[in-house]
Amino acid sequence: MLFFRLNKNNDFNNILMKTITSIIIKKHILSINKQESLVLLNLDNTLRELAPIKSDFSIIHLASLIDYPTEKISKLLKKAYGKNFNQIVNLYRLEYMEKLIFQEVFSKKKINISELIKQSGFKSRNSYYVTLKASRELKLNTL
């Protein structure tokens, strides 16, 4: 019931989710040095831009874009977020899909979930639903 109420007030929900994400990141980020922080910032910008629009986006592609070894990217993501590359990419895609849904709602267009899933970079509805479920469980467990 509490989660339903939070979803009705989007501003409050956005603030709450950012706070929860910040708490999770701070919990893991304590053991990261300055160079790793800069790489994480670069990773974040690149993933936010490319992960949703490229369904075949890989850690090898990311490594070549930011000129950083794949093994180190993998270890850094696990160290900072406690998740592997594919889990992180799918969370960026989920965030992008939420933006697309809001755009569709505000423009009063008919929402085609299958099309939005493809536009967000998910390869299938199943991968979208698995990511969504994991994301919801993470948010509820941190409350």
Side-chain angles (χ1 to χ4, degrees), residues 103-143:
Q103 289 173 357
E104 296 288 317
V105 168
F106 287 126
S107 65
K108 298 183 181 179
K109 293 181 181 176
K110 185 177 177 183
I111 297 175
N112 181 339
I113 294 295
S114 294
E115 186 59 36
L116 293 179
I117 288 170
K118 286 180 186 174
Q119 287 179 16
S120 301
F122 288 102
K123 291 184 180 180
S124 68
R125 286 178 77 114
N126 188 51
S127 64
Y128 164 71
Y129 287 120
V130 167
T131 302
L132 181 63
K133 183 178 183 234
S135 170
R136 300 274 177 178
E137 287 173 1
L138 173 67
K139 291 173 186 175
L140 291 175
N141 288 336
T142 57
L143 289 176

Side-chain angles (χ1 to χ4, degrees), residues 8-29:
K8 282 186 148 184
N9 186 346
N10 290 329
D11 291 335
F12 179 74
N13 192 32
N14 288 338
I15 292 168
L16 180 64
M17 295 295 62
K18 286 178 185 174
T19 304
I20 290 169
T21 304
S22 175
I23 290 168
I24 293 167
I25 290 171
K26 285 178 186 172
K27 182 178 173 184
H28 291 283
I29 216 121

